[in-house]
């Protein structure tokens, strides 16, 4: 599965953050052994989140469902 999207659940702010990774970000992420290390060093400051405050997942295709909105 290719990581095209990064989805974060920030439990300190109550935010859901959805990031579509650029080609450059995807390519750079592959140079890291651990995706979380990539997040910490490359994405955390750019997208203004703290890895210690989020649960996260990557996915190839982002599909969403919302209820009672």
């Amino acid at each position: 599965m290719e990581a095209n999207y990064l989805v974060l659940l920030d439990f300190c702010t109550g935010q859901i953050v959805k990031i579509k990774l650029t080609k450059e970000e995807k390519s750079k992420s592959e140079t890291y052994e651990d995706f979380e290390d990539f997040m910490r060093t490359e994405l955390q400051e750019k997208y203004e989140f703290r890895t210690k405050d989020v649960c996260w997942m990557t996915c190839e295709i982002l599909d969403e469902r919302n209820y009672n909105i």
Side-chain angles (χ1 to χ4, degrees), residues 29-51:
S29 74
E30 294 170 1
T31 65
Y32 286 80
E33 190 171 316
D34 184 350
F35 192 86
E36 194 161 357
D37 290 339
F38 167 68
M39 288 172 42
R40 195 174 294 110
T41 58
E42 301 289 333
L43 302 179
Q44 183 170 248
E45 188 174 315
K46 179 178 179 179
Y47 294 109
E48 300 177 351
F49 67 88
R50 297 186 323 178
T51 53

Side-chain angles (χ1 to χ4, degrees), residues 21-68:
L21 299 172
T22 65
K23 287 182 183 180
E24 294 80 19
E25 289 168 339
K26 287 191 282 187
S27 178
K28 197 157 196 179
S29 74
E30 294 170 1
T31 65
Y32 286 80
E33 190 171 316
D34 184 350
F35 192 86
E36 194 161 357
D37 290 339
F38 167 68
M39 288 172 42
R40 195 174 294 110
T41 58
E42 301 289 333
L43 302 179
Q44 183 170 248
E45 188 174 315
K46 179 178 179 179
Y47 294 109
E48 300 177 351
F49 67 88
R50 297 186 323 178
T51 53
K52 67 180 185 173
D53 294 338
V54 301
C55 294
W56 61 274
M57 69 174 204
T58 59
C59 56
E60 188 170 358
I61 298 169
L62 183 60
D63 186 22
E64 300 178 55
R65 287 189 278 171
N66 296 296
Y67 301 96
N68 299 323

